[in-house]
């Protein structure tokens, strides 16, 4: 099979060399974007008079026929033709004749592939944004159901203070909101057209880059042709934002795995997001959460891989940059799959409210309430802290909890304690009273949910 760039060469590469250098096994993912960019390019070539209207229409008809085949997955590709661009150009020429060769006028594969990736990533980031919002909606719904469900809050994985389960869930909502904001910012850098930059120096043809950019709904064009073909910052930014997003999903997965264990029993995952054991019939494993936690590493790896590829490259295009695609495709697949799974897990999980609430009564997570109580009555907080610390030690030695102490025992620690101390020690009261902005108090959570609802659906 003759190479479309083979005029300079007198010798063909061996088959295994062709296979090593070819990108078509993976860049066929860009088939629709490549056709879209080509349609915009040929439309511009006609507008500027570089091609006749008849030539352009013939080429466009051929491209639309290829698009229809691509959508039906009826196209076949050859390693001999290296990449998606040459494969499509060859098939276009077979359809419309030699005029198909005029499609490449005024452009290079360098600006062509960059255009394809901008188009691809723009489409995929919008899909990912919609999946983030589906997960956020699931969190809001579950939070609304559990505003007054009390659970232990943790620091250092040690029980710290009682909180609302809704408050815990909404912490992740706001993490995902930041992830959404980062990707929306990323779209600004994605939505820039490199088409018309040529190989690196522009072209002598009187092209109209702004017109072709407008046809593809790009906001602007690259101002420098060398930057246009060598820039992969927009992919790095996507991989970086995706890594942070996956880190958030991984942290949440870890908590779901802990909560669903026999030691916690805070939640039970739906059977559709769990698996069993081939040898232990009692097992119900949180495999989907574990997989998401594990897949986070591959997204980190994709980011580090591309950073390493790019770190030593001189301007402009280099063949190393062929390595920019597989990690991007893999990250898109991993992130979209993880988000879809996670939304389903949250929607269907059962919350064991009684277990959560009972856990707050069998610990010392209400100790801060005592210190605050004494501070409210005029005792300096540091002194109150010490008094309560000694009370906790007293309870540990006595094998009981603060709520079990008599008023006499409280008064032995400080005369400031009164009968109302038992109301203060109630975990529900402890949570309800924390109404500082952003706190776990029920009214604050309701306000947070109202704000969250306004975020979902906004672009």
């Amino acid at each position: 099979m003759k190479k479309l760039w083979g005029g300079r060469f007198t010798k063909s590469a061996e088959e295994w060399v062709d296979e090593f250098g070819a990108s078509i096994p993976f860049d066929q993912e860009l088939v629709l974007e490549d056709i879209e960019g080509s349609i915009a390019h040929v439309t511009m070539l006609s507008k500027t008079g570089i091609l006749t209207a008849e030539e352009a229409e013939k080429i466009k008809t051929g491209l639309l026929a290829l698009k229809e085949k691509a959508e039906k997955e009826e196209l076949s590709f050859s390693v001999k033709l290296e990449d998606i661009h040459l494969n499509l150009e060859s098939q276009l020429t077979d359809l419309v004749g030699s005029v198909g060769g005029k499609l490449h006028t005024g452009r290079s594969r360098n600006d062509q592939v960059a255009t394809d990736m901008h188009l691809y990533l723009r489409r995929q980031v919008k899909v990912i944004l919609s999946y983030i919002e589906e997960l956020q909606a699931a969190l809001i719904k579950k939070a609304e159901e559990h505003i007054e469900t009390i659970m232990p809050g943790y620091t250092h994985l040690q029980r710290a203070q009682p909180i609302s389960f809704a408050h815990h869930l909404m912490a992740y909502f706001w993490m995902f909101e930041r992830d959404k904001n980062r990707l929306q910012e990323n779209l600004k850098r994605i939505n820039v057209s490199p088409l018309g930059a040529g190989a690196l120096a522009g072209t002598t043809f009187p092209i109209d880059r702004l017109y072709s950019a407008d046809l593809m709904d790009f906001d602007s064009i690259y101002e420098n042709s060398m930057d246009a073909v060598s820039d992969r910052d927009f992919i790095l930014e996507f991989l970086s934002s995706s890594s942070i997003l996956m880190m958030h999903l991984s942290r949440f997965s870890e908590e779901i795995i802990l909560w669903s264990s026999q030691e916690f029993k805070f939640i039970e995952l739906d059977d559709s997001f769990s698996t069993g054991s081939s040898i232990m019939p009692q097992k119900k494993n949180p495999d989907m959460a574990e997989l998401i936690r594990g897949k986070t590493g591959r997204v980190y790896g994709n980011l580090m891989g591309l950073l390493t590829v790019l770190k030593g490259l001189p301007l402009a295009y280099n063949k190393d940059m062929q390595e920019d695609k597989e990690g991007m495709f893999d990250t898109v697949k991993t992130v979209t799959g993880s988000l879809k799974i996670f939304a389903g897990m949250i929607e269907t999980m059962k919350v064991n409210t009684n277990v959560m609430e009972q856990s707050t009564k069998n610990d010392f997570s209400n100790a801060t309430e005592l210190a605050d109580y004494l501070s409210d009555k005029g005792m300096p907080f540091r002194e109150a802290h010490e008094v309560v610390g000694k009370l906790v030690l007293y309870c540990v030695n006595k094998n009981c909890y603060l709520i079990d102490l008599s008023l006499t025992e409280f008064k032995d620690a400080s005369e400031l304690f009164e009968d109302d101390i038992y109301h203060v020690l109630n975990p529900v009261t402890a949570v309800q009273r924390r109404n500082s902005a952003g706190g776990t108090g029920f009214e604050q959570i309701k306000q947070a949910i109202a704000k969250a609802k306004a975020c979902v659906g906004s672009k």
Side-chain angles (χ1 to χ4, degrees):
M1 186 178 291
K2 185 179 178 183
K3 301 282 189 186
L4 296 186
W5 46 259
R8 160 71 174 79
F9 291 77
T10 59
K11 183 178 178 182
S12 297
E14 294 187 38
E15 185 175 342
W16 69 268
V17 176
D18 279 339
E19 290 177 357
F20 183 78
S23 60
I24 191 60
F26 51 86
D27 71 8
Q28 60 186 273
E29 181 82 19
L30 299 170
V31 59
L32 292 175
E33 284 76 17
D34 200 73
I35 293 170
E36 180 183 350
S38 291
I39 290 173
H41 184 64
V42 75
T43 303
M44 180 275 296
L45 292 177
S46 174
K47 174 185 177 287
T48 54
I50 297 169
L51 294 186
T52 67
E54 183 182 358
E55 289 172 326
E57 191 58 36
K58 195 170 184 180
I59 292 171
K60 193 182 295 186
T61 300
L63 288 169
L64 290 171
L66 289 176
K67 181 182 179 183
E68 186 177 346
K69 285 188 174 183
E71 289 172 339
K72 295 177 180 177
E73 298 185 352
E74 293 176 354
L75 292 179
S76 58
F77 304 104
S78 169
V79 168
K80 288 287 185 182
L81 289 169
E82 299 180 31
D83 55 36
I84 189 61
H85 323 298
L86 297 185
N87 268 272
L88 285 175
E89 185 176 332
S90 176
Q91 294 185 52
L92 176 66
T93 304
D94 290 342
L95 278 175
V96 303
S98 60
V99 70
K102 292 191 174 185
L103 172 61
H104 210 54
T105 306
R107 76 174 180 183
S108 160
R109 281 186 293 173
N110 294 355
D111 61 335
Q112 186 178 357
V113 69
T115 301
D116 290 359
M117 289 191 292
H118 278 271
L119 290 170
Y120 171 84
L121 210 47
R122 181 178 68 185
R123 174 167 61 90
Q124 296 296 345
V125 165
K126 289 179 179 179
V127 171
I128 289 170
L129 285 169
S130 71
Y131 284 145
I132 291 175
E133 291 206 338
E134 286 181 17
L135 174 53
Q136 288 180 305
L139 286 169
I140 289 173
K141 186 174 184 297
K142 192 65 71 174
E144 283 185 307
E145 296 169 3
H146 292 284
I147 292 172
E148 297 189 14
T149 297
I150 310 301
M151 70 175 292
Y154 294 83
T155 63
H156 309 278
L157 206 55
Q158 303 293 317
R159 292 182 189 176
Q161 291 177 294
I163 59 169
S164 160
F165 182 51
H167 193 56
H168 197 128
L169 293 176
M170 292 305 293
Y172 284 102
F173 176 95
W174 296 111
M175 290 184 206
F176 297 134
E177 184 65 15
R178 293 194 296 274
D179 292 321
K180 194 170 69 176
N181 292 340
R182 273 185 283 271
L183 287 167
Q184 288 166 338
E185 281 294 315
N186 188 193
L187 274 175
K188 296 177 183 178
R189 263 75 69 188
I190 292 171
N191 211 32
V192 181
S193 175
L195 190 60
L200 76 160
T203 178
T204 58
F205 292 98
I207 62 172
D208 187 340
R209 289 188 63 205
L210 289 172
Y211 178 67
S212 58
D214 187 58
L215 289 173
M216 293 179 287
D217 201 27
F218 283 121
D219 294 331
S220 59
I221 63 172
Y222 278 88
E223 298 296 337
N224 183 286
S225 59
M226 295 181 76
D227 184 37
V229 298
S230 62
D231 173 41
R232 295 298 183 267
D233 292 358
F234 66 102
I235 302 177
L236 287 171
E237 189 175 353
F238 166 70
L239 295 175
S240 175
S241 296
S242 296
S243 293
I244 297 172
L245 168 57
M246 288 300 297
M247 177 268 290
H248 289 152
L249 290 174
S250 184
R251 292 182 71 180
F252 206 169
S253 293
E254 174 70 7
E255 296 204 298
I256 283 176
I257 292 162
L258 288 171
W259 292 345
S260 62
S261 69
Q262 287 295 304
E263 285 68 28
F264 278 77
K265 296 184 183 177
F266 284 178
I267 65 166
E268 183 178 348
L269 293 176
D270 190 80
D271 287 355
S272 56
F273 298 99
S274 308
T275 64
S277 165
S278 62
I279 189 173
M280 295 169 284
Q282 83 281 8
K283 293 293 293 297
K284 184 175 180 180
N285 301 324
D287 276 14
M288 295 303 103
E290 291 174 0
L291 270 175
I292 291 169
R293 186 178 60 181
K295 285 179 180 292
T296 299
R298 69 191 295 154
V299 176
Y300 292 178
N302 292 335
L303 171 60
M304 291 308 301
L306 185 55
L307 282 168
T308 305
V309 166
L310 295 171
K311 75 174 185 63
L313 296 187
L315 294 177
Y317 184 82
N318 298 271
K319 187 69 168 178
D320 315 48
M321 294 168 76
Q322 183 171 289
E323 294 297 309
D324 59 2
K325 298 172 193 62
E326 288 178 280
M328 177 180 69
F329 296 150
D330 180 72
T331 295
V332 166
K333 181 179 178 182
T334 301
V335 169
T336 52
S338 297
L339 287 168
K340 287 168 68 178
I341 288 286
F342 226 107
M345 280 199 301
I346 297 300
E347 287 171 357
T348 58
M349 75 179 182
K350 175 188 174 185
V351 181
N352 297 323
T353 57
N354 291 336
V355 176
M356 282 187 176
E357 290 179 9
Q358 191 60 37
S359 297
T360 64
K361 296 174 182 176
N362 296 326
D363 61 20
F364 295 100
S365 61
N366 53 3
T368 306
E369 306 311 307
L370 287 187
D372 288 347
Y373 175 91
L374 293 173
S375 294
D376 286 344
K377 298 211 169 189
M379 183 182 289
F381 182 80
R382 284 299 165 209
E383 186 179 332
H385 188 286
E386 183 176 357
V387 169
V388 175
K390 289 178 179 178
L391 272 174
V392 170
L393 180 60
Y394 175 76
C395 289
V396 170
N397 291 333
K398 193 178 175 183
N399 195 26
C400 68
Y401 298 103
L402 292 168
I403 196 73
D404 301 321
L405 296 180
S406 66
L407 183 58
T408 301
E409 288 172 305
F410 277 118
K411 283 189 170 292
D412 286 342
S414 172
E415 284 297 328
L416 294 175
F417 286 117
E418 301 293 344
D419 286 341
D420 60 350
I421 191 59
Y422 296 103
H423 176 68
V424 170
L425 285 172
N426 187 313
V428 175
T429 305
V431 173
Q432 201 168 18
R433 293 175 66 228
R434 281 182 148 64
N435 267 316
S436 57
T440 190
F442 301 151
E443 290 306 313
Q444 283 297 318
I445 294 170
K446 290 173 185 175
Q447 291 178 34
I449 288 174
K451 290 177 184 177
K453 286 180 176 179
C455 294
V456 174
S458 60
K459 293 291 185 285

